[in-house]
Amino acid sequence: MAGRLYIEALNTARLLDGIVTDSPIIASPNLAPRRWLSMLRLEQGHIHLGRAFWGMTPAWLKVLDHAPHCARAESLDERRMFREAFSARRCLIPVSGVYIWKQLPRQKQPFLVTRTDREPFMLAGIWCRYMTDTRTAFDSMALITVGVDAPLTPLTERFPAVIAPDQATTWLSPETPLTQARELLAPAPSALLGAFPVERLVNDPANQHWHCARPTGHMMTATRGAIQATGPRSP
């Protein structure tokens, strides 16, 4: 599961070519659900960077705390809000890392999952929109989670699906057959991601210090075992 995101002030050129920036990247060292974040979606054949509320909020939802921030890939057809969005409104969330928590005998240890080369990556999501008035749109989204492979198997059972840059347009396009879109919802390649323990400061979402992502141990990878992890880049 994805409970928090680590998002540096990314250069969109490091993600994809030709992104139309409607609003700048929302950077945060410890971004929790039910906050605003940056979202990529396809509009008139171009990929736009905008913002959305993290928590799927259709117009009929009465209680904001019930807005789901994640959807399981296997059950996208079981809830109307997920089924309709997956069919026509798929999105990508650019991140620098995702926090997960490993259950220990007496407490939980936070880990930060990043690419092994520390480059940004994109998470699969779905989004919806409702009009708060005749001129104002409210966009919201949920991440799509899948099972995991090494090196994440000792740490968590689920993680957001990672979409490669060369698959971005295919994922975002509503013209893509749903069977093809589903094929993209798979565990990330084992060599792509690594995870390292971080300060428990991240447990409190009120802590918005960049050293939330400071490594307290070595990075776990599928191919090289534990290697020295580097700290967060300057925002």
Side-chain angles (χ1 to χ4, degrees):
M1 194 61 71
R4 307 280 172 73
L5 303 177
Y6 173 67
I7 306 172
E8 297 173 346
L10 306 174
N11 179 350
T12 57
R14 292 168 58 196
L15 293 166
L16 296 168
D17 293 329
I19 292 176
V20 179
T21 302
D22 297 328
S23 24
I25 285 280
I26 298 173
S28 171
N30 187 11
L31 195 147
R34 300 179 179 89
R35 301 289 188 274
W36 291 91
L37 46 59
S38 294
M39 177 178 76
L40 294 167
R41 64 171 174 241
L42 198 65
E43 292 184 23
Q44 298 180 340
H46 299 282
I47 297 177
H48 285 249
L49 176 68
R51 51 182 249 157
F53 182 79
W54 186 13
M56 200 81 164
T57 312
W60 47 262
L61 189 72
K62 302 300 183 183
V63 181
L64 192 61
D65 284 347
H66 294 170
H69 65 278
C70 288
R72 296 171 69 95
E74 305 91 321
S75 57
L76 287 171
D77 289 332
E78 295 178 7
R79 298 180 66 177
R80 178 165 59 96
M81 74 166 81
F82 296 156
R83 182 171 60 252
E84 294 175 352
F86 178 61
S87 174
R89 295 183 301 277
R90 296 184 293 272
C91 65
L92 291 167
I93 305 303
V95 300
S96 307
V98 178
Y99 294 104
I100 57 177
W101 277 260
K102 180 181 181 180
Q103 182 65 60
L104 300 176
R106 295 188 177 182
Q107 60 190 345
K108 291 183 178 181
Q109 171 61 50
F111 283 76
L112 180 59
V113 180
T114 70
R115 281 181 50 140
T116 54
D117 59 8
R118 300 304 296 270
E119 287 296 307
F121 55 107
M122 296 176 292
L123 307 177
I126 49 179
W127 67 282
C128 69
R129 167 177 290 179
Y130 76 87
M131 304 301 294
T132 57
D133 57 45
T134 57
R135 294 183 297 176
T136 307
F138 183 92
D139 294 342
S140 62
M141 55 73 57
L143 295 173
I144 301 175
T145 66
V146 296
V148 298
D149 288 334
L152 302 184
T153 44
L155 306 177
T156 185
E157 294 181 351
R158 303 193 67 79
F159 192 78
V162 177
I163 303 296
D166 62 355
Q167 299 170 333
T169 301
T170 300
W171 170 254
L172 294 173
S173 174
E175 304 301 321
T176 299
L178 293 185
T179 53
Q180 186 177 355
R182 288 183 191 282
E183 290 174 356
L184 301 180
L185 298 175
S190 295
L192 183 69
L193 302 177
F196 52 85
V198 295
E199 304 274 357
R200 290 191 175 90
L201 184 69
V202 76
N203 290 349
D204 184 350
N207 289 328
Q208 291 294 314
H209 307 288
W210 288 99
H211 53 265
C212 283
R214 180 182 299 160
T216 60
H218 290 252
M219 176 181 278
M220 299 167 52
T221 71
T223 57
R224 291 175 288 174
I227 60 173
Q228 184 65 46
T230 58
R233 295 169 176 158
S234 298

